[in-house]
Amino acid sequence: LLRVHHVIEQESCRGPVPLRRLSAAAGRSPSAIQHAYREHFGNSISEAIKRRRIHQAGTILAANEHLTIEHLATRCGYRSRSHFHRDF
């Protein structure tokens, strides 16, 4: 599970993090990863990805408040402004 968590930390702001990528990192099935992650960390994989991206957005905004929403969303791994807006 630490490998899965590491992949989330390293790759979530680059774009989508497919469950098959996390499954391969841990050497377990996708359903086993989802269940074990929730049991161990207390939240879902998608929630962890969202939290990582929002944290990154806050860090970027603190350093540079002149970014457009679109640019910030892209830098945090979101494909659309609306999805970023909904999460943030």
Side-chain angles (χ1 to χ4, degrees), residues 1-2 5 28 33-43:
L1 288 180
L2 292 178
H5 190 69
R28 297 170 76 182
I33 290 300
Q34 289 174 317
H35 179 75
Y37 194 91
R38 182 180 293 278
E39 287 291 314
H40 185 72
F41 292 105
N43 60 0

Side-chain angles (χ1 to χ4, degrees), residues 41-88:
F41 292 105
N43 60 0
S44 69
I45 289 172
S46 60
E47 183 66 25
I49 291 170
K50 180 170 44 173
R51 285 181 183 188
R52 175 68 181 118
R53 289 175 174 171
I54 295 302
H55 175 73
Q56 182 68 15
T59 301
I60 292 169
L61 278 175
N64 184 353
E65 60 190 50
H66 301 291
L67 293 175
T68 66
I69 297 293
E70 290 82 6
H71 187 78
L72 182 60
T74 300
R75 286 189 58 187
C76 295
Y78 286 93
R79 290 184 173 182
S80 73
R81 174 185 176 186
S82 62
H83 191 186
F84 172 76
H85 185 265
R86 200 174 354 167
D87 285 353
F88 201 75

